[in-house]
Amino acid sequence: MTTKLTIATVEESPQTGGSGSSFVLSPEQEKVVNHRGGHLQVIACAGAGKTEAISRRVASLILDGAEPSQIIAFTFTDRAAQSLKTRITKRIAEAKGPAFLDRLGPMFVGTIHSYCLRMLQDHVPEFGNFDILDENRLAGLLSREHKRLELSKLGNQHWRPIFDFLRNADVVENELIDGGLMKGTPFGDCYLAFKQTLYRYHFLTYGLLISAAVKALSRLEVANRVRANLRYLIVDEYQDVNPAQEKLISLLAQDPVQLCVVADDDQSIYQWRGSDVSNMLDFRKRYSPATSLTLSVNRRCRPKIISSANAFATSIAPRLTKKMEPHRQPGGPEVHGWAAETDAAEAVTIADTIERLRGEGFRYKDIAILYRSVRTASPPLIEEFKKRDIPFRCAGRTGLFLQPEASALGKLYALLSGNEWKSERYGESQSVDLDDVDHEFAAAFNEGETIPDLRPYLQDWQAMVKDNTAQVNLVRDYYRLLRLVGVNTLDLDDPADSARMGTLARFSQILADFEHVTRRARYVDEQGQQIFRGGQDRGIYFYQRLYNYLQYYALDAYEDFEGEDTFDLDAVDILTVHQSKGLEWPVVFLPSLVEGRFPSRYAGQSQDWLLPESVFPASVRKRYEGSDTEERRLFYVALTRAKDVVYLSRFRRKTNKFKPSPFLLEIVGSDPELAEQLPLPPTFTPSAESGDELPTVSFSELASYEGCPLKYRFSSSLGFQPQLVAELGYGRAIHHILRHIAEATKAKQQLPTLEEVEKVFAKEFYLPFANNAAFHNLLDRARSLVGKYLSDYSGELLRVWETERPFELHLEKGVVNGRADVILDREGGVVGNLGIVDYKTANDAKSDDVFAFQLAIYAAAGRGEGLDVKAAYLHALKESVRKNVPVDNVAISVARKRADTLIEGIVAAEFPPRPELSKCKVCDMRAICKHAQCSKYDL
Ligand SMILES: Nc1ncnc2c1ncn2[C@@H]1O[C@H](COP(=O)(O)OP(=O)(O)OP(=O)(O)O)[C@@H](O)[C@H]1O
């Protein structure tokens, strides 16, 4: 029998459409919540409350007795996961009380990618020491490996073949194409070499994460372990799942797992990334028997928005027949088309309207501007917003290098490598000399005044570049330069200064991305021997490659600083329609609706592919090349993001004339009139609930915040990157080795021999940034630590219950997660009594007190799950000493309070400095921090 949720509910008023903390579910939502037995397909119209339905379904499953570890919910983005988690947590807390939340740790709510990463880390230990490459680092790695991979076989120039390779590799991974079938083709050979290269560097890409998880799940012993607990799999945004993800879902959704997918085929907008709407259209054939339910009542939008979107959707084909039904009362203009003479005038009217909306009670964050392409269309609006001090958050590529600070830095690296520079893709390249750089830095950093000491400093730097023996430490050198030009004196409380810091932090990201893949070490085969080789870290070639990355890749690839990630930012959102998926705002502007921009002139254009037709047939190609249908779906998504009003506009000219978008004409019925004043929706009272999302933070973030909140701000909030040192990854490498030894012992129920331990070292010991000499030095140290551990504590290897065990603790102010190194069974000789052990290596900067805090949090999480955690230990590997850490109720309650207070500080964006000589001396941010307590020799 199904238990109904007994939650105090507030009936939503259809007049206001306000979102009370709990609503009365509609009968169709109730059906989704209460369906049991067999697979379920939910076809949801836009705004039909699928997130609410899914969160209550999860809550109701748990109330029915399902264990949290039996539930997985996949969302499309991390942001959606956060929102779903918050709602589930609330519903469960309302129904069962907050203490019950301690049991939620083992439930997985997140993206498919993060699930695959966790699954591989949990079940395929060899990936425990791998890093994921994001698209920028992947491009950087391909640039470094261009020659070895023979990418020139794919085309002329340096970057063109890289982009083509990436586009085709995506297809291979999305479609799970067997690499062997492409052997002998130019792309196929590059691809096979590429995979071997990644392996050597201990890298995985996002695409390979899914295919590696699919491969792992195809092995029965892994599948059995993964599915042993699983009973309920829920997939949100199922319309945008690609074939590899669908394969993963099908491998998980084996009897007795019940699959529930929620989708709206009209909102399938990621075909160019491989999403295949036929997964949804054919669902019931593949997962038979399955029930199908529809959520058709749109709870978000006013009726005219719904009727316009309904009429527009009839032009989408193929689609499942359905129609959104309105729920809210009419009010205000709802759908308003208008025109401006120029794009600048369009921006002025939008900014005026926003200022008037503020007078009607709307906050900036109640307003969004959606574009087909932010990069092409947003500049006039951003300029207008800056002029009027309208706060905005722009998620899009808007020309980072047009900021004076980034442009000056670009020129500096051009100078160091002896090249010309241009700050815009289609701008003119200009030669750069020392005077130019001196002037640019003066303008960008010192109000036009020459910066004392800069010139000789740069001259020395130039000389060092030519001297191939000096080692480059890119991020560290960058921070030293920033110190010299006075960045440490900027006032972070001044919004203009903190925005400049944001730009500089973005730049540190570019340098770190390049440095990570360029200095990355690898194993190479030389004369039949496996040799460890460090990456490149010196000389003119290093700087020339860096210049190449900055000028021909980074210029277009990096987004400008979006503003700090504070939890309650009041700013207008500017984003692409793709990024707006799943979100909603009371007021939405859709500007720049002119021919060629929306629908995009590029949609449906056939592209050149490197993949042979035999593995990538024309029918599949079409999916990647886009079409008018996909542009229509995008437009439908854009319309249905608005709760109260959507303003659709076009401009008539820039320098040349522009025609209106056919989509605009379809909605408005004719070319709209010029307007300077737009009608406003009724006065608005924001709901008190928004902005109360529960943050999830890792324990290391908490510890970093506690150590120095200002350092946390520099690194986590602004995005300044850590400096690379040869020892980086040493602690992780030791943990990885110990894990392998523990897992092998557990599997065989027998201690490993010395030869076996040596084999683990030979295969698994890897340090990403060491050169050959540092590697061998650290390898010897690691051998000695592990040897000592094995001689003093080998007996306990037979007691290992789990290694690298993930934990999640739900607290009042947020969720803390982390992984415990080892959990031992038979504590005190009793089976089922557990002891948690955390290893400390000599390089750990964490104090014993912080380790004790961490262990208390893990113990609390473990007990919440129902584990019998009896003890916790901090094991100092170097000294071979083990310390008992208290995990009694008092210690746990103190740790919980401590964590809650820290989360509260993070959410409230309180970032006071906490300088101390010993900490500042080794802090990555010391050079750019006003408060650093160290001498210039420590910088
Ligand atoms: N039963 C309900 N009563 C009142 N409001 C509801 C109810 N269910 C959902 N809502 C509200 O309706 C709006 C749309 O819900 P939600 O964001 O879950 O829709 P969705 O189906 O995910 O939409 P989309 O697919 O368009 O992103 C939200 O503001 C939500 O708070």
Side-chain angles (χ1 to χ4, degrees):
M1 207 185 78
T2 305
T3 323
K4 288 245 170 99
L5 281 175
T6 47
I7 300 173
T9 52
V10 180
E11 176 67 90
E12 182 225 6
S13 143
Q15 279 76 20
T16 62
S19 23
S21 73
S22 310
F23 338 95
V24 176
L25 289 188
S26 64
E28 46 180 21
Q29 284 175 314
E30 287 274 3
K31 279 193 197 158
V32 173
V33 173
N34 296 323
H35 173 84
R36 297 289 186 276
H39 302 310
L40 173 65
Q41 177 189 37
V42 181
I43 299 163
C45 289
K50 58 188 166 65
T51 316
E52 191 61 33
I54 298 176
S55 52
R56 298 238 196 155
R57 179 173 167 79
V58 171
S60 139
L61 288 169
I62 289 179
L63 295 181
D64 270 3
E67 286 298 325
S69 60
Q70 295 177 328
I71 301 173
I72 292 178
F74 288 149
T75 58
F76 197 71
T77 60
D78 289 324
R79 190 166 171 175
Q82 202 58 46
S83 143
L84 185 60
K85 236 185 208 173
T86 303
R87 291 204 210 184
I88 294 171
T89 311
K90 277 190 188 166
R91 301 300 164 242
I92 292 179
E94 282 164 349
K96 299 283 269 184
F100 199 85
L101 298 182
D102 281 358
R103 293 182 46 190
L104 295 187
M107 176 175 71
F108 182 86
V109 179
T111 62
I112 296 187
H113 285 110
S114 53
Y115 175 78
C116 289
L117 179 59
R118 181 162 159 174
M119 191 191 97
L120 292 174
Q121 283 175 339
D122 287 354
H123 299 286
V124 189
E126 102 188 42
F127 289 115
N129 208 5
F130 273 51
D131 287 314
I132 307 294
L133 272 178
D134 69 9
E135 57 175 337
N136 295 327
R137 291 187 180 185
L138 177 54
L141 183 75
L142 288 171
S143 173
R144 173 178 171 184
E145 291 292 314
H146 203 285
K147 226 181 183 157
R148 276 189 284 262
L149 294 177
E150 298 190 79
L151 290 175
S152 55
K153 278 193 202 156
L154 307 181
N156 297 327
Q157 301 171 341
H158 184 78
W159 286 97
R160 193 68 265 154
I162 292 180
F163 294 134
D164 285 342
F165 178 86
L166 288 173
R167 204 161 45 91
N168 286 269
D170 261 351
V171 174
V172 174
E173 286 141 21
N174 294 340
E175 304 292 320
L176 289 179
I177 294 171
D178 175 358
L181 297 176
M182 302 177 298
K183 217 170 166 184
T185 66
F187 173 78
D189 290 344
C190 289
Y191 186 75
L192 291 177
F194 164 70
K195 281 184 64 173
Q196 287 164 4
T197 302
L198 288 180
Y199 204 82
R200 267 202 273 275
Y201 281 104
H202 283 56
F203 275 140
L204 270 176
T205 64
Y206 280 102
L208 286 169
L209 204 53
I210 312 267
S211 52
V214 165
K215 208 165 148 197
L217 273 182
S218 312
R219 298 200 331 245
L220 204 60
E221 80 278 7
V222 177
N224 284 343
R225 265 188 283 150
V226 172
R227 289 199 302 254
N229 263 335
L230 182 61
R231 292 296 172 272
Y232 303 97
L233 175 60
I234 296 172
V235 185
D236 193 10
E237 307 277 9
Y238 183 66
Q239 75 279 355
D240 276 326
V241 155
N242 68 31
Q245 293 166 332
E246 168 57 24
K247 180 75 189 170
L248 180 96
I249 291 167
S250 71
L251 288 169
L252 291 173
Q254 304 279 321
D255 195 41
V257 176
Q258 292 174 29
L259 174 64
C260 163
V261 301
V262 186
D264 178 1
D265 54 319
D266 293 334
Q267 294 187 61
S268 172
I269 55 175
Y270 277 101
Q271 280 172 272
W272 53 281
R273 280 205 213 150
S275 72
D276 187 353
V277 76
S278 67
N279 284 327
M280 147 110 192
L281 303 177
D282 302 335
F283 180 84
R284 290 174 70 191
K285 276 193 217 144
R286 278 173 301 111
Y287 295 93
S288 171
T291 306
S292 188
L293 295 172
T294 305
L295 292 178
S296 59
V297 179
N298 178 316
R299 308 230 153 212
R300 173 184 297 143
C301 318
R302 297 234 183 236
K304 223 164 107 193
I305 304 176
I306 294 177
S307 56
S308 299
N310 269 337
F312 189 79
T314 56
S315 63
I316 298 172
R319 77 185 281 254
L320 298 168
T321 319
K322 60 187 183 310
K323 193 169 162 220
M324 277 184 292
E325 302 295 339
H327 173 74
R328 298 184 57 197
Q329 298 290 314
E334 302 191 23
V335 179
H336 185 80
W338 59 286
E341 192 55 42
T342 62
D343 56 346
E346 190 184 40
V348 169
T349 302
I350 293 175
D352 282 346
T353 312
I354 290 175
E355 285 175 349
R356 289 170 53 224
L357 283 164
R358 294 262 301 155
E360 296 299 312
F362 290 85
R363 299 161 300 185
Y364 290 119
K365 65 180 173 188
D366 296 321
I367 301 164
I369 322 285
L370 307 184
Y371 289 111
R372 177 68 181 83
S373 158
V374 164
R375 187 190 177 95
T376 321
S378 69
L381 189 72
I382 289 181
E383 203 177 305
E384 192 60 35
F385 279 5
K386 282 187 176 160
K387 238 195 261 168
R388 300 189 191 209
D389 281 338
I390 294 180
F392 64 92
R393 184 166 55 170
C394 179
R397 292 171 186 179
T398 50
L400 172 67
F401 283 85
L402 295 178
Q403 304 293 349
E405 294 83 6
S407 166
L409 288 160
K411 283 194 178 152
L412 164 70
Y413 290 105
L415 174 78
L416 292 174
S417 58
N419 282 292
E420 299 189 327
W421 179 257
K422 56 180 176 180
S423 289
E424 274 185 281
R425 164 72 47 239
Y426 299 108
E428 286 269 308
S429 286
Q430 284 171 354
S431 60
V432 183
D433 61 24
L434 200 55
D435 286 337
D436 299 324
V437 175
D438 210 10
H439 281 134
E440 288 253 352
F441 269 78
F445 294 96
N446 205 28
E447 294 173 350
E449 298 286 315
T450 306
I451 300 171
D453 301 337
L454 180 62
R455 214 183 160 86
Y457 187 85
L458 296 183
Q459 278 166 333
D460 281 355
W461 201 346
Q462 279 180 301
M464 248 159 50
V465 170
K466 290 203 183 95
D467 173 5
N468 279 345
T469 56
Q471 195 186 18
V472 182
N473 197 326
L474 207 49
V475 173
R476 184 203 62 197
D477 298 347
Y478 171 61
Y479 291 163
R480 287 181 178 170
L481 171 75
L482 293 187
R483 174 95 181 185
L484 183 79
V485 301
V487 162
N488 55 316
T489 60
L490 291 181
D491 176 8
L492 281 174
D493 294 329
D494 169 358
D497 275 2
S498 79
R500 295 174 73 203
M501 277 304 237
T503 300
L504 298 171
R506 293 297 291 149
F507 206 92
S508 80
Q509 176 76 59
I510 301 178
L511 297 180
D513 286 346
F514 176 80
E515 192 172 22
H516 264 258
V517 293
T518 307
R519 282 182 54 193
R520 184 101 177 172
R522 68 203 187 282
Y523 282 104
V524 290
D525 295 322
E526 281 174 15
Q527 294 158 352
Q529 283 231 316
Q530 185 173 266
I531 311 279
F532 187 88
R533 284 261 171 267
Q536 300 168 357
D537 64 358
R538 62 198 71 208
I540 185 74
Y541 289 117
F542 183 94
Y543 280 93
Q544 271 167 354
R545 276 173 193 275
L546 169 64
Y547 164 78
N548 187 305
Y549 185 75
L550 290 172
Q551 181 71 102
Y552 299 108
Y553 179 77
L555 193 67
D556 280 334
Y558 284 82
E559 287 166 10
D560 200 352
F561 178 60
E562 284 172 35
E564 280 181 77
D565 233 358
T566 44
F567 283 85
D568 201 16
L569 187 69
D570 188 22
V572 175
D573 272 313
I574 301 177
L575 62 179
T576 64
V577 181
H578 281 104
Q579 290 161 332
S580 76
K581 178 175 169 151
L583 306 176
E584 61 182 19
W585 295 264
V587 179
V588 170
F589 288 89
L590 300 182
S592 202
L593 296 175
V594 292
E595 198 178 66
R597 286 201 180 168
F598 208 159
S600 158
R601 64 170 62 87
Y602 304 110
Q605 274 185 7
S606 70
Q607 297 170 18
D608 290 332
W609 294 96
L610 301 167
L611 285 162
E613 178 107 26
S614 54
V615 296
F616 188 36
S619 56
V620 185
R621 274 172 201 217
K622 269 187 87 168
R623 181 147 50 82
Y624 282 83
E625 288 168 354
S627 64
D628 183 60
T629 302
E630 200 176 350
E631 294 292 307
R632 286 182 175 275
R633 291 196 189 111
L634 259 183
F635 197 68
Y636 175 86
V637 168
L639 285 174
T640 53
R641 297 309 93 198
K643 287 173 149 183
D644 289 323
V645 57
V646 52
Y647 295 107
L648 305 105
S649 60
R650 69 110 153 184
F651 54 84
R652 292 185 176 172
R653 63 184 166 83
K654 273 163 81 81
T655 42
N656 46 336
K657 286 191 174 168
F658 278 78
K659 289 187 183 156
S661 149
F663 293 174
L664 174 68
L665 298 181
E666 280 178 46
I667 297 289
V668 182
S670 60
D671 194 2
E673 301 278 317
L674 286 179
E676 284 176 7
Q677 183 151 47
L678 309 182
L680 300 185
T683 311
F684 183 74
T685 317
S687 93
E689 199 192 34
S690 52
D692 63 350
E693 244 163 49
L694 280 180
T696 299
V697 282
S698 66
F699 184 84
S700 24
E701 283 173 311
L702 269 197
S704 148
Y705 179 78
E706 189 177 49
C708 174
L710 182 59
K711 180 188 177 189
Y712 175 92
R713 181 174 187 188
F714 276 123
S715 50
S716 297
S717 185
L718 284 159
F720 280 100
Q721 296 298 300
Q723 305 178 13
L724 286 195
V725 286
E727 294 82 18
L728 213 69
Y730 175 66
R732 182 170 143 194
I734 291 184
H735 287 156
H736 184 67
I737 297 287
L738 287 174
R739 178 181 181 189
H740 267 272
I741 294 173
E743 299 263 335
T745 311
K746 191 174 162 191
K748 282 201 200 158
Q749 281 303 305
Q750 190 182 310
L751 292 173
T753 61
L754 282 178
E755 289 73 45
E756 282 166 338
V757 171
E758 201 34 56
K759 265 194 195 147
V760 174
F761 267 104
K763 185 155 179 280
E764 301 293 340
F765 192 75
Y766 174 75
L767 293 170
F769 303 111
N771 58 23
N772 186 283
F775 174 82
H776 284 287
N777 179 3
L778 291 165
L779 175 62
D780 287 344
R781 267 162 59 187
R783 274 201 187 105
S784 128
L785 283 193
V786 171
K788 216 180 226 173
Y789 173 78
L790 289 176
S791 72
D792 294 351
Y793 289 89
S794 63
E796 77 173 26
L797 282 174
L798 293 163
R799 287 174 44 211
V800 170
W801 183 70
E802 257 192 70
T803 58
E804 290 295 316
R805 169 71 154 65
F807 278 123
E808 196 164 273
L809 181 66
H810 288 249
L811 294 160
E812 202 187 318
K813 306 290 177 192
V815 179
V816 186
N817 61 24
R819 279 176 179 269
D821 290 342
V822 167
I823 303 183
L824 301 173
D825 195 1
R826 284 181 280 149
E827 190 60 32
V830 181
V831 175
N833 281 2
L834 304 180
I836 306 180
V837 186
D838 234 30
Y839 297 125
K840 178 183 176 173
T841 55
N843 291 36
D844 258 312
K846 263 192 298 189
S847 69
D848 286 7
D849 164 61
V850 175
F851 270 107
F853 176 24
Q854 177 173 7
L855 284 161
I857 291 289
Y858 293 167
R863 288 202 191 133
E865 282 178 36
L867 304 177
D868 216 344
V869 179
K870 291 285 189 227
Y873 304 99
L874 169 57
H875 187 115
L877 285 165
K878 188 163 174 234
E879 298 78 16
S880 198
V881 171
R882 180 166 290 189
K883 234 165 90 174
N884 204 327
V885 170
V887 285
D888 54 277
N889 289 345
V890 176
I892 283 186
S893 137
V894 169
R896 292 178 82 110
K897 257 197 214 115
R898 183 167 164 187
D900 259 333
T901 311
L902 295 171
I903 298 176
E904 222 171 359
I906 294 176
V907 172
E910 283 164 7
F911 300 122
R914 208 159 285 157
E916 256 174 53
L917 183 60
S918 58
K919 278 193 296 185
C920 295
K921 262 175 97 156
V922 291
C923 175
D924 278 331
M925 305 300 151
R926 60 192 183 273
I928 52 172
C929 176
K930 191 191 282 194
H931 306 273
Q933 277 191 2
C934 44
S935 79
K936 65 179 185 182
Y937 303 106
D938 293 323
L939 297 177

